[in-house]
């Protein structure tokens, strides 16, 4: 049986999955990093739909169509900005993963890809973020049959190494 979580190195905008997750900001009106890349590939219709959503609170998730992306859907979530680790950042990051996965299950999506939420412009320490991501995805998949598979897409080598280490240190979850 194939594992339900995998870690790859690549560009999330090129993933052939039902939904990709966007690490957005509270405005949902675009930005840099993975957010900028997703809007560039999806095209202006994505921004037009995002304008109707009235933003998104930190930790919450909202879904739009994927337009010119290979993915049919984009799940936008807003990770916490790292301050000092004592402002609820860890729980807010965990809630992002849970809310995205719950939305995917609600839409009956089988495959979803996540970026490394909050670890770029928002400054969340990578080691801790990778542990939280893998823990939350594992816990969700243990109680829900959807999504079937979750891919964590790492843009560079150090991010890939951290998420791989984090996944290796857990018991693999099979179908
Ligand atoms: N595919 C996969 N991962 C990517 C890609 C890509 N095409 N491009 C960048 N990454 P960041 P955040 C990685 O800064 O920390 C935006 O301006 C990147 O290397 O995109 O949650 C938003 O509008 C890093 O590992 O997101 C917000 O204002 C990871 O994605 C703010 O940045 C996350 O980095 C959100 O900051």
């Amino acid at each position: 049986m194939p594992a339900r979580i995998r870690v790859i190195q690549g560009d999330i905008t090129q993933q052939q999955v039902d939904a990709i997750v966007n690490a957005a900001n509270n405005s949902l009106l675009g930005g840099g990093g993975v957010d900028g890349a997703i809007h560039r590939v999806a095209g202006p219709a994505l921004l037009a739909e995002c304008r109707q959503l009235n933003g998104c609170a930190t930790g919450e998730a909202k879904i739009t169509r994927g337009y010119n992306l290979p993915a049919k859907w984009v799940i936008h979530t807003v990770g916490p900005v790292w301050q000092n680790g004592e402002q609820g950042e860890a729980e807010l990051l965990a809630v992002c993963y849970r809310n995205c996965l719950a939305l995917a299950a609600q839409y009956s999506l089988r495959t979803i890809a996540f970026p490394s939420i909050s670890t770029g412009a928002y400054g969340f320490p990578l080691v801790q973020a990778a542990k939280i991501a893998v823990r939350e995805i594992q816990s969700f998949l243990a109680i829900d049959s959807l999504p079937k598979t979750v891919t964590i897409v790492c843009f560079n080598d150090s991010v890939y190494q951290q998420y791989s280490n984090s996944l290796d240190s857990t018991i693999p979850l099979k179908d």
Side-chain angles (χ1 to χ4, degrees):
M1 287 295 197
R4 290 176 66 193
I5 306 181
R6 64 189 187 123
V7 176
I8 64 164
Q9 192 168 348
D11 179 351
I12 202 165
T13 66
Q14 302 308 310
Q15 299 305 306
Q16 310 265 353
V17 287
D18 293 336
I20 60 171
V21 173
N22 183 15
N25 58 58
N26 295 121
S27 77
L28 293 188
L29 300 180
V34 70
D35 193 7
I38 288 172
H39 276 274
R40 267 194 303 281
V41 178
L46 176 61
L47 183 58
E49 187 175 354
C50 284
R51 285 193 200 285
Q52 311 303 313
L53 299 177
N54 297 315
C56 185
T58 304
E60 291 186 359
K62 294 191 176 181
I63 192 165
T64 65
R65 295 194 172 273
Y67 300 98
N68 296 332
L69 287 158
K72 185 174 181 194
W73 302 98
V74 179
I75 296 177
H76 307 262
T77 191
V78 183
V81 176
W82 181 264
Q83 293 171 75
N84 56 3
E86 293 170 6
Q87 309 301 318
E89 293 96 329
E91 180 55 20
L92 282 169
L93 184 61
V95 166
C96 286
Y97 284 93
R98 275 181 238 148
N99 282 333
C100 289
L101 290 163
L103 206 46
Q106 191 188 320
Y107 276 70
S108 301
L109 305 186
R110 293 175 58 82
T111 54
I112 184 172
F114 281 92
S116 174
I117 300 167
S118 277
T119 64
Y122 282 180
F124 201 112
L126 186 56
V127 176
Q128 193 184 345
K131 284 184 186 154
I132 291 168
V134 169
R135 182 194 73 206
E136 291 302 325
I137 295 166
Q138 293 269 24
S139 311
F140 192 92
L141 296 186
I143 56 158
D144 213 309
S145 60
L146 286 176
K148 273 287 194 219
T149 64
V150 177
T151 307
I152 302 172
V153 182
C154 304
F155 205 48
N156 61 51
D157 198 54
S158 58
V159 175
Y160 175 75
Q161 290 307 329
Q162 277 313 325
Y163 282 81
S164 298
N165 290 346
S166 195
L167 187 58
D168 287 348
S169 62
T170 65
I171 300 153
L173 193 69
K174 306 288 185 187
D175 270 330

